[in-house]
Every structure is written in structure tokens, then in C-alpha cells.
Amino acid sequence: RTLQHEDRMDSFVITETFKYLYLLFAKEEDMFLDISQFVFTTEAHLLPLTLARLSNSTAVPVSDDFFYDEDEDVEYEMACPSTRYMFPGHDTLYAGAASLRKPLESLVEDSCPTKRILKRKLTAPEFQSTSEEHLKLVRDMGITIITLPDGRVQLLHTFANAKTPEDGEEGLMFMQEMIDLSRQQSTNTESPPKLVSFKIDGQRHQLQAGPAQFGKDLKNGLTATGKVVMANHVRGCGGSLQNGESMWGKIVIVERGDCMFVEKARVLQSLGAIGGI
């Protein structure tokens, strides 16, 4: 087992699994055929009990005015029954088959995703967790945002919670985009740790730190130097009370949690900080 999802559906899902699932729960009045007149094979094929109607040993009673074409070639052979016997009241085989398909063509019209082009209200790359408008749009899509204790954010999509079916479909697309973004980040080559140096009481300390996956890349002599201060509200998320003057031109230390790193960075940048730890 690879434990990997594949974008495919085997033929037995519809031809066998869904067929038996439907038959298990369908009411008698919902049946389009009298299934007592059929035998099901292990592959869920329906074999009419009338298959031997034209053989020399089997006869099926029909009304006196019922007419069917006699075929001498199959008089003594097993043969499929006449379409007039299977679909009485229909002139052709296609008309008979259509009488079965027509009632089913819109059976799941209101629940299956459509191929119509949706006008997107919000895409995953555009999403900002600090935007109340974006959060409302996400909720309308049936998506719940859960902040984990370690600061990571988890998205859960429930189609039934969407405001409209169209919003639910957009929610599915939004979640797929988020998954694609996550895969892109996981496949990117990890940035090597950078060296952070600072002085305390005249003594220089050096620590290794993992750089962010956004913003300027500190390489080729590019450095960020400034006084280090603590954020007034240590989590540094959107909506928190901060003293911008104390952060202007400085590197601000924030604690992980409550929101995504990129949100913390936007808050610090808006207050004039030159960097964040």
C-alpha cells in the first residue's frame, strides 16, 4: 500500500457497488424493473429469467394478443428475450432503454458537483486570516478554521455547512488549492539556517535560526540589523494592541501561536519593524 490518493474510479464502483447500494435501500415503488424476474451475477449483471423463453423446453405465458417475431435460428437455442417482451409499449430497443434512463438522469442533479464555471470569490493564495471579509467568505464555503496549540492552522470543510451549493463547490476548490500550496512548500528545498548574532552586556551571542519562506532572502551580503524588542502583545496577531513607535526600525520578537507566521509578519511590517523573530 502506498497510502497515496489517486484521481481515478474503478468501473466496479458504479456497475457493482453503487448498484447494490441503491437496491439495498430503494423502495419497491422506486424500482424501474421487477428484480424478482432477474438473476444477479457476481459482477452485478442482470440476467432475465426469460432468457430461455425461445428454447424448446421453456415457455413463458403471454397474453393472446401479444406478438413477437419468431426466429427459426434460435428456436432450439438459448437466446436473449425479445425487446417487446422486456419493454412492452415501446417500439424499439432504444425507446425501451430510454424509458429506464430518463427518470434517472436528474436523480442526483442537486448533489453532484457540476462542470459549470464558478465565479470565484476567494482563492487560496489570496486568503488572509486577518481579513474579516475573507473569514466570512470561508465560513460561507463551509470551511471551519481551527488554531492548533502549536500555532498551526487546520481547515475543515463540510459541504452541508456551506451557505449555498455553489459556495460548497467553491469550498472544495479552495481546499484543493490549499493542499496544492502545502505540497509546493513541502517540495521546496529547505533553506539552510542563518546565523543570528546579538550582544548582551557587551558579550556577543550567536544562534542559528530558520529563515521564513517569504520576504527577502538574507544572502549575498544582505543583512538585517537593528535593536531587538518584544512585541507588546507577544503573539503579534492581527487585531492585537501594539505600540508601533516601540517597534519602528527594530527587530521584534513574537511568540508562535493563535495565527500564521505570515500574519505576524504583516502586523510587524505595518508597524514599521524591519524584521521579526
Side-chain angles (χ1 to χ4, degrees):
R1 298 293 182 179
T2 63
L3 300 180
Q4 299 295 317
H5 292 273
E6 295 184 16
D7 185 13
R8 75 169 190 176
M9 181 170 63
D10 293 302
S11 60
F12 65 78
V13 175
I14 293 179
T15 58
E16 298 177 43
T17 309
F18 286 174
K19 186 185 295 183
Y20 283 133
L21 183 64
Y22 175 81
L23 292 174
L24 280 173
F25 296 99
K27 298 179 181 178
E28 186 175 353
E29 58 268 22
D30 295 330
M31 296 293 184
F32 298 97
L33 291 173
D34 182 4
I35 61 173
S36 64
Q37 300 298 318
F38 294 85
V39 172
F40 286 80
T41 71
T42 56
E43 299 296 325
H45 297 155
L46 283 74
L47 300 180
L49 295 177
T50 58
L51 272 177
R53 186 179 62 78
L54 296 180
S55 74
N56 61 341
S57 61
T58 306
V60 176
V62 295
S63 60
D64 295 335
D65 58 350
F66 187 84
F67 171 78
Y68 60 89
D69 296 326
E70 293 187 4
D71 190 341
E72 295 181 357
D73 292 336
V74 297
E75 182 64 27
Y76 298 99
E77 297 179 12
M78 297 291 288
C80 289
S82 167
T83 56
R84 296 183 183 180
Y85 183 84
M86 290 191 66
F87 304 112
H90 297 280
D91 296 331
T92 65
L93 171 64
Y94 301 104
S99 69
L100 297 180
R101 297 191 183 102
K102 191 66 177 176
L104 293 171
E105 66 181 8
S106 59
L107 187 65
V108 291
E109 185 180 51
D110 296 331
S111 58
C112 286
T114 64
K115 294 183 179 180
R116 64 180 180 275
I117 299 176
L118 293 175
K119 184 178 180 181
R120 299 295 301 278
K121 301 173 184 176
L122 180 67
T123 62
E126 298 170 343
F127 174 69
Q128 295 184 17
S129 60
T130 55
S131 171
E132 289 295 333
E133 180 184 0
H134 288 187
L135 292 175
K136 182 181 182 303
L137 289 173
V138 167
R139 286 194 295 269
D140 289 345
M141 296 178 196
I143 298 174
T144 304
I145 300 178
I146 301 175
T147 303
L148 302 179
D150 60 0
R152 293 179 299 162
V153 176
Q154 184 178 22
L155 303 181
L156 298 177
H157 179 255
T158 306
F159 196 95
N161 292 342
K163 189 175 181 180
T164 65
E166 291 76 14
D167 288 329
E169 288 185 35
E170 184 172 3
L172 291 173
M173 298 172 66
F174 184 91
M175 293 294 290
Q176 185 59 52
E177 290 172 347
M178 279 295 188
I179 293 173
D180 293 340
L181 287 175
S182 177
R183 287 175 178 171
Q184 290 175 9
Q185 293 178 359
S186 62
T187 55
N188 290 338
T189 304
E190 292 187 3
S191 301
K194 305 294 183 182
L195 196 63
V196 177
S197 62
F198 57 93
K199 289 183 179 180
I200 298 180
D201 298 329
Q203 184 176 359
R204 179 171 292 278
H205 298 267
Q206 292 183 336
L207 298 174
Q208 287 188 339
Q213 298 296 326
F214 52 86
K216 293 183 177 180
D217 194 2
L218 299 180
K219 62 181 182 180
N220 298 327
L222 179 62
T223 60
T225 305
K227 185 178 179 181
V228 176
V229 297
M230 289 290 297
N232 302 114
H233 189 283
V234 71
R235 292 292 173 91
C237 294
S240 59
L241 296 177
Q242 304 288 348
N243 182 2
E245 293 184 359
S246 66
M247 300 182 185
W248 187 269
K250 299 181 177 64
I251 297 174
V252 184
I253 296 177
V254 294
E255 186 180 58
R256 67 185 302 161
D258 291 348
C259 61
M260 294 184 290
F261 294 153
V262 67
E263 180 176 339
K264 300 176 189 291
R266 289 195 181 105
V267 171
L268 300 184
Q269 186 180 33
S270 67
L271 297 173
I274 62 171
I277 301 175

